[in-house]
Amino acid sequence: MRIRYVIALAGIFLITAFTVPQIEFVQLLTGKMQQFKKQAPQVKLFLIFNQDVYVPGDTAYFSARFLTEDLTPLAGRQIIRLQLVDQNGKIIFFQNVSIKEGVGANQVAIPGDLKAGIYQWVAFSDWMKNFSPQLYFKQDFMLVERNELEASKASNNPTVKFYAEGGNLISSVSNRVAVIATPGVSTFRIVDANGEQVALCNVNEEGLGQFTFTPLADKQYYAETDFSGVKGKTQLPMSLREGVALQLFQDVIPAKLDVRIPSDSKLKNENLWMVITSRSEIYFTAPLKFGDKEMLSVQFPQQELPPGLCYATIFNERGEVIAERLFASNSTQEIKTEIRKEKSVYDTRELINLQVSVKNQLGNPVPGEYVVSVVNKRFKNNLVNQVPITHYLSIKSDLPAMPEVQSDVGLDLLLMTQKNVRINWKNIWEEKFQMTNGFRRM
């Protein structure tokens, strides 16, 4: 594994020599991370169902993939548990499924006496019980009666939530803030207690937005919103006098992370580190020593990071997390898919011949295992969102509660609102790797 050590100060690209304490910190953290990956290996489970809409009494067919964090099949024969859960979180039934060399398939009969509504498949292994239940595989599906779907109702209680990049609003420095709002909330003002505007925020149709402003210490700020003619006032979190504000820029080469602290911060004289991790490995580190500066700009080679979710974490010399920024590395090739059929209308139970091609951006075939889904056109705009396997394994498997978005910009805004679910840095630093449950093999 190669770790890069680069830092840029005030936008100027410089190579900084590591001192002995800095080298010791990097070596210490790297050793702890390697021990964590060996003793507490992370796994990912994904189930592919034949449908996402059923009627009571239907049989659901599915295949399963049980993988390591590096997306390689888990060796040997394993057992996973599949549960059917209702809208109230009650387990309707469960069954065990055998997985061999990371692959399995089975079927399950949906009880005929269930009422229409949205249900959920939940799947996990004994080993996954050692970690957060948020990391279990979960997928919603719709149960309907007589092919009828009930349209979801719009919310009558608009909400606006704010998430400072890095984790906290920091006083006296520039902060970038992500916004998640009820769709229908558009442009709104950020004002201080006297009603003076300090920023303006535009919310897109997905309910996402962002703004940048510099909060003053001990000052309260508010968002003035307008939802279908109903005006509201939402309080922002209070800013902290101590801490680190982050601003990530991925649209430049190399990518960079601006790190800011207040002019009177106690962190100025501390040894800090910026560490980028992915798949339980360290890919990049840079020492941070502010001295008389209030901002450091760290550049890093994003193209060398593995595709999927990455974590930029700021540590102090005691291994404590000061700030963290989740982001997606998009160093994957563009895939072009084409499905050709002989005609547009077919009779019931008529054999359909499809020609499916999957090519990369150079027009060359891409080998792999693929799934083709067929959905009733009547249901297409009413279904619960289903997550593609590539997106699930790279993003959703680590952040299962995160809403779905359609754009890269929306994804990055949502990642600003998320926290690291898979990695507990305190446990890693203290080397607490005790696992209660083992792999259940046949």
Side-chain angles (χ1 to χ4, degrees), residues 27 38 45 62 80 126 141 159 195 217 231 238 244 260-261 274 332 334 355 368 405 409 416 418 430 434:
Q27 291 177 340
K38 180 180 180 180
L45 178 61
F62 65 90
I80 65 169
D126 281 357
F141 70 93
T159 60
K231 299 186 181 302
M238 288 291 291
V244 172
R260 293 180 173 87
I261 60 173
M274 192 268 269
T332 56
E334 181 182 354
Q355 291 184 335
V405 290
V409 173
M416 286 173 57
Q418 300 297 303
E430 297 176 357
Q434 185 67 36

Side-chain angles (χ1 to χ4, degrees), residues 98-111:
S98 175
I99 304 291
K100 184 178 181 181
E101 303 300 328
V103 179
N106 213 314
Q107 64 189 62
V108 58
I110 299 175

Side-chain angles (χ1 to χ4, degrees), residues 157-200:
N157 300 308
T159 60
V160 182
K161 296 182 179 180
F162 305 94
Y163 303 86
E165 189 168 7
N168 296 293
L169 281 177
I170 307 301
S171 301
S172 307
V173 299
S174 176
N175 289 254
R176 184 159 58 190
V177 182
V179 175
I180 299 180
T182 302
V185 175
S186 53
T187 303
F188 60 84
R189 300 195 311 152
I190 306 299
V191 300
D192 60 19
N194 297 321
E196 294 293 327
Q197 179 175 315
V198 297
L200 191 67

Side-chain angles (χ1 to χ4, degrees), residues 309-330:
L309 198 62
C310 299
Y311 304 87
T313 309
I314 307 298
F315 292 94
N316 63 18
E317 55 192 0
R318 297 175 296 281
E320 298 168 336
V321 175
I322 306 300
E324 189 166 50
R325 171 64 152 92
L326 280 63
F327 66 96
S329 173
N330 297 316

Side-chain angles (χ1 to χ4, degrees), residues 7 23 25 28 37 48 52 110 122 132 155-156 189-190 198 214 221 263 315 325 370 400:
I7 184 171
I23 294 176
F25 177 86
L28 181 63
K37 187 163 187 174
I48 307 165
D52 46 24
I110 299 175
V122 178
S132 172
S155 173
N156 294 321
R189 300 195 311 152
I190 306 299
V198 297
T214 302
Y221 297 89
S263 58
F315 292 94
R325 171 64 152 92
Y370 303 95

Side-chain angles (χ1 to χ4, degrees), residues 3 39 108 120 129 132 141 148 155 170 191 245 263 273-274 296 333 412-413:
I3 304 175
Q39 297 188 20
V108 58
Q120 187 177 68
K129 294 178 184 178
S132 172
F141 70 93
E148 294 179 359
S155 173
I170 307 301
V191 300
S263 58
W273 286 264
M274 192 268 269
L296 301 179
Q333 60 178 332
D412 189 57
L413 285 175

